[in-house]
Amino acid sequence: MAEWRVTVDRSRCMGSGICTAMAGTYFLMDGERSRPAAEGVPPGEAVLDAADSCPAGAITVTAADGEVVGPRD
Ligand code: SF4
């Protein structure tokens, strides 16, 4: 399956560290804010769960066809 793309809007991130705690494979703290460890990620629940849990709504996960798959409603 094609990779998903994950982004962190660093202007929205409030540095809670939830994403790095939940999915440290995919997110790193860079100073006081998170950033993706890599732009492309294998499709999976962990990155979606992190996007769902971000209190700032800063994480967006996009499928290869451009569809936004996370956060989920
Ligand atoms: S969960 Fe959201 S607010 Fe918290 S560090 Fe990650 S991107 Fe930033």
Side-chain angles (χ1 to χ4, degrees):
M1 194 183 285
E3 285 194 330
W4 288 347
R5 182 169 175 265
V6 58
T7 61
V8 173
D9 181 342
R10 287 172 58 88
S11 69
R12 297 180 75 165
C13 173
M14 51 206 241
S16 68
I18 292 171
C19 58
T20 55
M22 291 183 68
T25 305
Y26 305 120
F27 299 95
L28 303 168
M29 295 307 286
D30 181 4
E32 296 189 349
R33 296 186 177 146
S34 168
R35 66 173 172 81
E39 189 172 299
V41 301
E45 283 294 311
V47 71
L48 292 179
D49 286 345
D52 291 349
S53 300
C54 174
I59 299 170
T60 302
V61 185
T62 310
D65 63 3
E67 180 188 358
V68 174
V69 292
R72 296 169 284 198
D73 291 334

